[in-house]
Amino acid sequence: MAYLLSSQAVLICPHGGAIQHVPNTFTTYRLNGYPPLLLTDTYIVAGCGFTYPCHQVQWLNGSATMMIKGVPVLTVTSTGLCLSTLGTPGGPVVIASPVNVKEEPREFTNISQ
């Protein structure tokens, strides 16, 4: 079991760049009042100081038991890879402050709202 991530989570690249969440799937579902982070949403990196600056994030996994409109919700155990504009890996996403709001359900749940 892991905690689900909402838009209040603080995510950074390994070089200190801030990661901004841009929702791709519209949902009215909220985690303590905030939109959930979904596997297929867009994640943009700003302010990376690396030689090949991180530009975006590719998430490799999400929750196995919590989905919204068929898309997995990200958890504190999800793995994200920061990529440069050329697609060069810059390292893993750092979940600096997960703001644990809700635990992943024990049984499979797919929210359709």
Side-chain angles (χ1 to χ4, degrees), residues 25-107:
T25 302
F26 175 77
T27 179
T28 57
Y29 183 78
R30 297 292 183 258
L31 297 169
N32 283 5
Y34 300 99
L37 300 185
L38 301 180
L39 184 72
T40 58
D41 286 346
T42 300
Y43 298 87
I44 305 296
V45 182
C48 175
F50 192 53
T51 305
Y52 300 101
C54 298
H55 174 69
Q56 63 185 6
V57 175
Q58 178 182 358
W59 288 95
L60 306 177
N61 62 323
S63 173
T65 60
M66 178 71 171
M67 297 194 178
I68 296 177
K69 296 186 175 181
V71 179
V73 178
L74 297 180
T75 71
V76 294
T77 60
S78 295
T79 302
L81 185 60
C82 296
L83 303 171
S84 72
T85 54
L86 301 174
T88 306
V93 170
V94 176
I95 301 172
S97 177
V99 188
N100 300 340
V101 293
K102 187 172 182 180
E103 197 170 358
E104 185 176 34
R106 296 185 190 280
E107 298 175 2

